[in-house]
Amino acid sequence: MKKITIVAFDKFTDVDVFLPWDLLNRVKFREKDWSVKIVGSKERHISVTGIPVPTHGIIEECNTADVVFFASGAGTRALIKDPEYLKRFKLNPEKQLICSMCSGSLVLAALGLLNGITATTYPTAAQELQSYGVEVEEKPLVIHGNIATAAGCLAAVDLVGWIVERMLGPEVREDIIASVQPVGKGLECIY
Amino acid sequence: MKKITIVAFDKFTDVDVFLPWDLLNRVKFREKDWSVKIVGSKERHISVTGIPVPTHGIIEECNTADVVFFASGAGTRALIKDPEYLKRFKLNPEKQLICSMCSGSLVLAALGLLNGITATTYPTAAQELQSYGVEVEEKPLVIHGNIATAAGCLAAVDLVGWIVERMLGPEVREDIIASVQPVGKGLECIY
């Protein structure tokens, strides 16, 4: 079973959890052995707009996942100042795909996962990311081996594409991405 | 106060509620008198992937809203067969903007709102939409006066753009849409 964890927290940006969540769940139409969970440090987290989302598991589940996806939002600023939270993660970029949307890159930096590599982030988080010694690139998606950072909400489509291609190959990637394109602009139904 | 209602229901497609929800909430950075509610026929509805979303109000709130946005998903098929549900709507396309994502167009058709006009929908719903006598166009967005139908999840960006421009003009539209573009591909921060 391939296991994907999306890390949520209080004050997450709605679309940065729910767009990848929806896209990654579509993979189940192509691959039965595929699990997607929203994980967190509470039984539910509340988005920046006030939507409560029950978590499917605790953040320690990331430590045994195949893919760890950090969402973004104003709430990342509290996480990176919380050593007790951060030390619950024992991630291994040699064995896991690890990635972030927008300001989720700050959590990657706080975990030391961006040491010596470049990354992208939402412009309002760029200075804070640089303060970790990370060189910020103004690109939608920056990939170094098993670590990817994406920024600008709709770049989640590219980031999910990268995950799906790395896990299941380019054909499944194409199917998933085509399933959300506008009608007349590349939409292909997969179910 | 401008009032926007997003109609959810059991088995809604996650991204077709949460992407417009997130985008429409961003308008509050530009316009304080702006309310967005997810409405339904229950205290909470469960998405097709199992995410429960508490509703902010009942579907009758649509009858006094400025904009009524029907989400999509497998659950639309139950709604259109439920006369008790449908008759709770007293919508007026002379005074309200009324729109749908993907198979949400079936609910517009069942309410008689697409009589004599064309519409777009998700390909798997096209035949059912035609059964209402509606001519289906293979386009991301079809607009007739105050009624708009969009299809293919990412066409929600165009549909929300139409709503925002109609309500608040082209500058606010540009700001909202720019705020979710990928970094390096048009992203502009609005907060």
Side-chain angles (χ1 to χ4, degrees):
Chain A
M1 176 70 79
K2 300 297 183 192
K3 187 174 156 188
I4 322 297
T5 51
I6 297 173
V7 181
F9 39 82
D10 288 331
K11 293 189 186 169
F12 68 85
T13 299
D14 301 65
V15 71
D16 291 341
V17 167
F18 294 119
L19 177 53
W21 163 260
D22 183 311
L23 284 165
L24 287 165
N25 268 281
R26 290 168 191 242
V27 173
K28 294 175 186 168
F29 291 108
R30 289 289 177 272
E31 174 58 51
K32 291 260 179 290
D33 290 331
W34 185 263
S35 150
V36 191
K37 289 185 179 183
I38 297 172
V39 300
S41 58
K42 295 181 181 175
E43 283 190 8
R44 64 176 201 168
H45 286 295
I46 297 178
S47 80
V48 73
T49 65
I51 299 282
V53 59
T55 49
H56 303 115
I58 56 176
I59 52 175
E60 280 79 356
E61 292 210 28
C62 295
N63 302 336
T64 55
D66 297 284
V67 181
V68 182
F69 186 114
F70 286 90
S72 78
T76 54
R77 301 335 187 268
L79 306 183
I80 59 177
K81 290 175 194 152
D82 183 348
E84 294 302 313
Y85 177 85
L86 294 172
K87 77 181 185 193
R88 293 170 65 183
F89 290 98
K90 316 273 186 217
L91 305 183
N92 183 350
E94 300 286 312
K95 293 183 177 176
Q96 299 176 292
L97 299 186
I98 303 171
C99 61
S100 63
M101 274 311 297
C102 296
S103 64
S105 59
L106 295 174
V107 186
L108 294 197
L111 291 170
L113 293 162
L114 301 180
N115 293 345
I117 60 174
T118 62
T120 186
T121 193
Y122 205 69
T124 51
Q127 208 169 0
E128 207 159 356
L129 188 57
Q130 285 162 342
S131 77
Y132 285 95
V134 178
E135 186 189 330
V136 176
E137 296 197 75
E138 269 196 45
K139 291 182 179 174
L141 180 63
V142 174
I143 300 165
H144 294 284
N146 287 350
I147 295 180
T149 52
C153 299
L154 294 178
V157 177
D158 294 334
L159 181 55
V160 169
W162 172 76
I163 292 169
V164 175
E165 182 162 345
R166 284 292 306 270
M167 298 297 288
L168 300 169
E171 284 181 25
V172 181
R173 175 205 180 119
E174 273 178 36
D175 284 354
I176 301 310
I177 302 308
S179 77
V180 292
Q181 297 307 308
V183 165
K185 294 186 175 180
L187 174 66
E188 296 287 343
C189 297
I190 59 170
Y191 49 87
Chain B
M1 176 68 79
K2 302 295 183 193
K3 187 174 156 188
I4 323 297
T5 50
I6 298 172
V7 181
F9 39 82
D10 288 331
K11 294 190 186 168
F12 68 86
T13 299
D14 301 66
V15 71
D16 291 341
V17 167
F18 293 120
L19 177 53
W21 163 259
D22 184 310
L23 285 164
L24 288 164
N25 268 281
R26 290 168 191 243
V27 173
K28 295 175 185 169
F29 291 106
R30 289 289 177 273
E31 173 59 49
K32 290 260 180 286
D33 291 332
W34 186 263
S35 151
V36 191
K37 289 185 180 183
I38 297 172
V39 300
S41 59
K42 295 182 182 175
E43 283 190 8
R44 66 175 200 168
H45 285 296
I46 297 178
S47 79
V48 73
T49 64
I51 299 282
V53 58
T55 50
H56 303 114
I58 56 176
I59 52 175
E60 279 80 356
E61 292 210 30
C62 295
N63 302 335
T64 57
D66 298 284
V67 181
V68 183
F69 185 114
F70 286 90
S72 79
T76 54
R77 300 337 187 266
L79 306 182
I80 60 178
K81 290 176 195 151
D82 182 350
E84 294 302 313
Y85 177 85
L86 295 171
K87 77 182 187 193
R88 293 170 65 182
F89 291 98
K90 315 275 186 214
L91 305 183
N92 182 349
E94 301 284 312
K95 295 183 175 174
Q96 299 175 292
L97 299 187
I98 303 171
C99 61
S100 63
M101 274 311 298
C102 297
S103 64
S105 59
L106 295 174
V107 186
L108 295 198
L111 291 169
L113 292 162
L114 300 181
N115 293 344
I117 60 175
T118 62
T120 186
T121 193
Y122 205 70
T124 50
Q127 207 169 3
E128 208 159 357
L129 188 57
Q130 286 163 341
S131 77
Y132 285 95
V134 178
E135 187 190 328
V136 176
E137 296 197 74
E138 269 196 44
K139 291 181 180 175
L141 180 62
V142 174
I143 299 165
H144 294 283
N146 286 349
I147 295 180
T149 51
C153 299
L154 294 177
V157 177
D158 294 334
L159 181 56
V160 168
W162 172 77
I163 292 169
V164 175
E165 182 162 346
R166 283 292 305 272
M167 298 298 288
L168 300 169
E171 285 181 26
V172 182
R173 175 205 180 119
E174 274 178 37
D175 284 355
I176 301 309
I177 302 308
S179 77
V180 292
Q181 297 307 308
V183 164
K185 295 187 175 178
L187 173 68
E188 296 286 343
C189 296
I190 59 171
Y191 48 88

